[in-house]
Amino acid sequence: MQIRYKVEVAKEIVIVGGGIAGLATSLGLHRMGVRSLVLESSESLRVTGFAFLTWMNAWKAMDALGIGDSLRQQHVQLQGTTCVSATTGHTTSRLSFLVPGKCGNHEVRCLRRRTLLETLEKELPQGTIRFGSKVVSIEQTHNLKMVHLADGTVIKTKVLLGCDGVNSMVAKWLGLQEPVFMGRVAIRGFAENPDGHGLEHKFLQFFGDGFRGGFLPCDDKAVYWFFTHSPHNKQVEDDPAKMKQYVLSKLKRLPAEVIDVVERTQLDTIFGHPLKLRFPAKLLWGDICKGTACVVGDAFHPMTPDLAQGACSALEDSVTLARCIGEALLRKPKEEEEEYNRIKRGLEKYAKDRRWRCSQLIATAYVVGFIQQSAGAVMNFFRDECLSEYLAKLFLKKADFDCGKLDSP
């Protein structure tokens, strides 16, 4: 029996993936006066991950999108960072976040993922996100892309933007090399205490013999924490109870209130996943864009979380991309080919603007993670006694970046 396909025409842009990058890109385009369709494979907003750290560069991007002030009201500003050796229990460095940078005053908060996604969704026009839309294949037809969905639908579009994460189908279609597993795993958790967590409004980092982690208050009751290590027992990563006990076994020299946060963490808010990255060389010379298709966020530059810049740089991408292609789509072309070439040039400008910045972040995060998660007495001494303060300052240095504003019509 022949399958009948339903063809829908997306007037402007199709975005694959309804995570942070996808919704932020759609909102950036909306602020420019351009409609888009977001295809999300799940049946609702994907809120796994709970929270993440946001630096100055992320807040610059969120202000450009018009959502910064709303999110500030719901999350405390972190005053600084304290680095502690999990081996000795001694503080190795302290750094204030309340200092000026080249692009303005530094601003650091731990942002709830659900809150960000719901805020982005609320700002988008009704019907922008199409849930339950799993992309199974992509094909090129002249200057159009044909996006095939699992339900048999084929969506025809002028512009295709891949915001579909580390295992991006759009990135594969463009020919980008698969991200590589770095031999490290991140365990993450989220704890809420109705009576308050008792932690200062600071980013507490700790480093041990072959592991690192941190605690980040979102507000006075909720704390997001992470722990990265090189696993020796895969069964631990598949069992939240074992992950929790493993983390607790490494925190014995940390303050009691920190240990209490992990002990209070419910098992359904603990998960582990492997850390992957795309080598910087693949970004510098790979096909980030091809014709009128490109990738954004983790689909573009998956990186280890050691600079806490994954989501922040995705927000930068979204604003930059919306600005680069907004004008091309708003100007009425004299003929179809002229519009195609303008969009193509806009995507090429986006790729040029973002290649070096994202390559630097990937490389720096990898080196920072290697040092911070080092093992052995010599490396631990060198990290704790010589590099701790320098590494803390590196966070602020890489966050001192402004992706610019959106010029709405």
Side-chain angles (χ1 to χ4, degrees):
M1 182 177 67
Q2 185 178 7
I3 299 176
R4 293 184 178 181
Y5 290 105
K6 177 185 176 184
V7 178
E8 299 182 7
V9 179
K11 295 181 181 180
E12 311 286 6
I13 300 172
V14 164
I15 297 172
V16 181
I20 293 172
L23 298 190
T25 299
S26 183
L27 181 57
L29 291 166
H30 174 59
R31 298 297 192 218
M32 294 289 292
V34 177
R35 290 292 300 268
S36 62
L37 174 66
V38 179
L39 302 177
E40 171 52 44
S41 60
S42 65
E43 298 298 330
S44 60
L45 288 177
R46 289 183 288 114
V47 296
T48 56
F50 300 106
F52 57 93
L53 198 58
T54 50
W55 303 87
M56 176 206 290
N57 55 321
W59 289 101
K60 293 284 187 183
M62 288 186 281
D63 284 337
L65 293 170
I67 59 173
D69 288 341
S70 170
L71 293 168
R72 286 184 178 93
Q73 296 173 14
Q74 303 174 67
H75 302 86
V76 298
Q77 184 170 357
L78 301 183
Q79 306 298 302
T81 183
T82 300
C83 299
V84 177
S85 169
T87 305
T88 65
H90 296 156
T91 298
T92 59
S93 69
R94 287 187 175 89
L95 180 69
S96 173
F97 290 155
L98 305 180
V99 293
K102 293 184 297 183
C103 297
N105 292 325
H106 283 282
E107 180 177 6
V108 187
R109 302 172 194 266
C110 185
L111 191 61
R112 293 175 185 255
R113 181 183 173 89
R114 177 188 288 275
T115 304
L116 173 59
L117 290 175
E118 290 176 347
T119 301
L120 290 168
E121 181 187 33
K122 182 180 178 181
E123 293 293 317
L124 289 169
Q126 187 75 22
T128 297
I129 310 171
R130 175 171 170 163
F131 293 106
S133 299
K134 183 179 180 181
V135 177
V136 294
S137 65
I138 303 163
E139 62 178 318
Q140 178 86 33
T141 302
H142 188 47
N143 288 341
L144 297 176
K145 314 292 183 296
M146 309 295 287
V147 182
H148 296 253
L149 305 184
D151 64 1
T153 301
V154 179
I155 299 179
K156 183 165 57 177
T157 182
K158 298 175 184 177
V159 184
L160 179 64
L161 306 179
C163 303
D164 44 344
V166 175
N167 300 311
S168 168
M169 177 168 287
V170 178
K172 293 177 184 176
W173 184 73
L174 289 174
L176 280 173
Q177 188 185 54
E178 293 273 346
V180 179
F181 173 51
M182 301 312 298
R184 299 167 59 207
V185 167
I187 299 173
R188 306 173 194 265
F190 191 80
E192 295 190 78
N193 186 344
D195 298 324
H197 49 65
L199 300 182
E200 293 183 280
H201 293 168
K202 291 185 177 182
F203 175 18
L204 173 64
Q205 300 183 73
F206 62 90
F207 312 107
D209 193 23
F211 62 87
R212 66 178 294 265
F215 292 81
L216 298 150
C218 294
D219 50 40
D220 290 326
K221 297 180 180 180
V223 179
Y224 168 68
W225 58 265
F226 66 90
F227 180 94
T228 66
H229 69 120
S230 299
H232 301 293
N233 184 353
K234 189 180 185 303
Q235 290 183 344
V236 171
E237 313 309 326
D238 297 331
D239 187 331
K242 290 181 179 179
M243 284 190 274
K244 181 176 181 177
Q245 291 307 311
Y246 180 77
V247 173
L248 285 171
S249 71
K250 302 294 183 180
L251 306 184
K252 295 177 180 178
R253 293 188 178 274
L254 295 188
E257 59 268 26
V258 170
I259 297 174
D260 183 63
V261 168
V262 179
E263 289 179 337
R264 286 178 174 272
T265 305
Q266 300 297 311
L267 295 183
D268 61 356
T269 67
I270 298 176
F271 64 97
H273 65 91
L275 300 182
K276 298 182 178 181
L277 62 76
R278 179 167 284 129
F279 289 119
K282 303 302 179 183
L283 265 62
L284 292 173
W285 293 287
D287 289 324
I288 297 168
C289 64
K290 185 185 296 182
T292 57
C294 74
V295 283
V296 185
D298 282 344
F300 172 15
H301 45 71
M303 65 184 74
T304 59
D306 305 291
L307 280 179
Q309 279 291 341
C312 299
S313 56
L315 290 166
E316 292 178 14
D317 291 347
S318 301
V319 172
T320 304
L321 180 59
R323 185 172 58 245
C324 285
I325 66 175
E327 290 186 1
L329 288 167
L330 287 172
R331 289 203 302 261
K332 187 175 181 179
K334 295 180 180 179
E335 56 185 39
E336 181 183 354
E337 198 67 28
E338 180 186 336
E339 181 185 51
Y340 175 86
N341 288 331
R342 283 212 308 268
I343 296 170
K344 181 174 178 289
R345 288 193 294 270
L347 294 186
E348 288 171 348
K349 184 179 186 305
Y350 157 76
K352 181 180 179 181
D353 288 349
R354 298 301 297 160
R355 279 182 199 272
W356 183 245
R357 164 74 173 164
C358 296
S359 298
Q360 283 185 316
L361 291 177
I362 291 175
T364 305
Y366 175 79
V367 173
V368 168
F370 175 81
I371 295 172
Q372 290 184 332
Q373 197 177 306
S374 59
V378 175
M379 282 297 292
N380 288 343
F381 176 83
F382 182 64
R383 177 196 63 212
D384 295 343
E385 301 299 328
C386 305
L387 287 179
S388 183
E389 185 174 352
Y390 171 78
L391 293 174
K393 290 180 179 179
L394 198 56
F395 281 81
L396 292 182
K397 181 178 180 180
K398 291 302 179 183
D400 197 356
F401 183 86
D402 188 348
C403 62
K405 301 184 184 303
L406 291 171
D407 298 320
S408 57

